[in-house]
Amino acid sequence: MFRGVTQLSLDAKGRLAIPARYRDELTSTCSGHLIVTVDPSKCLLIYPYPAWEPIEQKLNSLSSFSPASRNLQRLMVGSASDVEMDAAGRILLSPSLRQFADLSKDVVLVGQGTKFELWNEIQWNLQIEIALAFKDGDMPPELEGFSL
């Protein structure tokens, strides 16, 4: 399980050092083979390859006659990039992926269970502000009765 928020920096070549606490798990579950794709919220999603496979299959099984489905396929599958962790635990993010999420130097890696989100630090801080403005009436119906 990937959880937690980590502030990181991309190097000049666009490499991201995966935090050491995740490297062993990524090495054992997928030999460091990751998929990086885009998310409609303008961040990048980073999946261990085995976690990505069923998502890609599900996306590809959607009807090609639905414009919304085709757009999602184009966005997520079309932008997906295979990356390998190097010996130092880094992955190289392509210029097009970095441009999509407006990533330059300061980034935030957010564990989301079976995947990571990678955000531009400023955009991540805006997401947190939005989350903190949560109102009682904004509770999704599927969370009714849920308690922390």
Side-chain angles (χ1 to χ4, degrees):
M1 275 306 239
F2 308 118
R3 60 178 70 91
V5 175
T6 309
Q7 294 181 323
L8 300 168
S9 295
L10 295 180
D11 71 12
K13 295 180 182 178
R15 292 179 297 197
L16 174 74
I18 300 296
R21 69 179 182 263
Y22 302 124
R23 290 181 198 164
D24 287 342
E25 183 175 349
L26 291 171
T27 299
S28 67
T29 60
C30 63
S31 301
H33 182 187
L34 306 171
I35 302 295
V36 182
T37 192
V38 300
D39 183 84
S41 59
K42 294 292 207 169
C43 69
L44 298 183
L45 302 176
I46 304 172
Y47 289 90
Y49 184 75
W52 168 252
E53 283 183 301
I55 294 166
E56 185 174 41
Q57 290 171 0
K58 178 82 172 178
L59 287 167
N60 284 331
S61 71
L62 297 173
S63 171
S64 62
F65 293 108
S66 163
S69 294
R70 291 290 292 150
N71 287 337
L72 195 56
Q73 289 168 333
R74 286 181 187 120
L75 183 67
M76 295 194 71
V77 178
S79 298
S81 178
D82 290 76
V83 298
E84 300 284 339
M85 279 193 327
D86 66 14
R90 299 173 302 189
I91 58 172
L92 178 62
L93 301 171
S94 71
S96 61
L97 288 172
R98 293 192 317 264
Q99 181 180 5
F100 176 88
D102 193 26
L103 302 179
S104 53
K105 184 176 182 192
D106 297 324
V107 298
V108 177
L109 186 71
V110 183
Q112 292 290 289
T114 60
K115 69 179 181 292
F116 298 99
E117 293 179 348
L118 185 64
W119 289 88
N120 163 306
E121 185 178 43
I122 294 169
Q123 291 302 314
W124 172 250
N125 290 333
L126 289 173
Q127 291 297 313
I128 294 301
E129 286 181 30
I130 291 167
L132 290 173
F134 184 77
K135 296 181 179 109
D136 289 336
D138 293 339
M139 180 69 75
E142 58 271 16
L143 292 180
E144 284 222 10
F146 182 75
S147 178
L148 297 174

